[in-house]
Amino acid sequence: MTQTTTSEKTGARTDEAVALIGDARERIDALDDRIIGLIQERTAVSAVIQEARISSGGRRVNLAREMEVLGHYRDALGKPGTALAMTMLELCRGRI
C-alpha cells in the first residue's frame, strides 16, 4: 500500500503552500457544513409553505415564486447560480 504525501493531496510544491491549502480546505469544509445545514433548514421551511398551500387548496409548487428565486440566484451568481438554484429548488420540492 502506498502512502500519499501531503503535497500529493494538495498539489502544492512548497511547505508554505501545503499549509495554506490545508487551512483553506478546513475553512471550505466548515463552509460546506454550514451550507448543507442552511439547505436542510430551507427544505424544512419549504415543506411548511407547501403544506399550507396544499391544505388551503393550492398547488404544491408556486412557479412564479420559483422564477423569482432563479432570478435572484442568477443575478447574484451568474448563469451557474441558476443551475445551483434549480438544484436547491429540486431538493426542497415534494417533501410532504
Side-chain angles (χ1 to χ4, degrees):
M1 181 155 98
T2 61
Q3 191 164 354
T4 306
T5 65
T6 304
S7 63
E8 288 173 333
K9 288 181 182 178
T10 63
R13 296 186 179 198
T14 66
D15 290 340
E16 294 81 15
V18 168
L20 180 94
I21 291 168
D23 291 345
R25 284 183 176 171
E26 285 180 17
R27 288 179 56 209
I28 285 174
D29 290 345
L31 289 167
D32 285 343
D33 288 342
R34 288 173 48 199
I35 291 166
I36 290 166
L38 289 169
I39 290 171
Q40 290 170 332
E41 183 178 347
R42 189 189 193 288
T43 299
V45 173
S46 181
V48 169
I49 292 168
Q50 289 175 52
E51 192 171 306
R53 192 180 298 121
I54 290 168
S55 68
S56 72
R59 294 177 169 227
R60 178 176 53 88
V61 176
N62 180 334
L63 295 178
R65 171 63 179 152
E66 288 196 357
M67 293 305 294
E68 288 177 19
V69 171
L70 291 171
H72 181 68
Y73 275 71
R74 182 191 60 246
D75 292 347
L77 302 172
K79 186 176 178 182
T82 303
L84 177 62
M86 284 297 297
T87 300
M88 183 195 56
L89 289 169
E90 184 178 339
L91 286 168
C92 293
R93 280 189 208 123
R95 299 287 187 193
I96 58 172

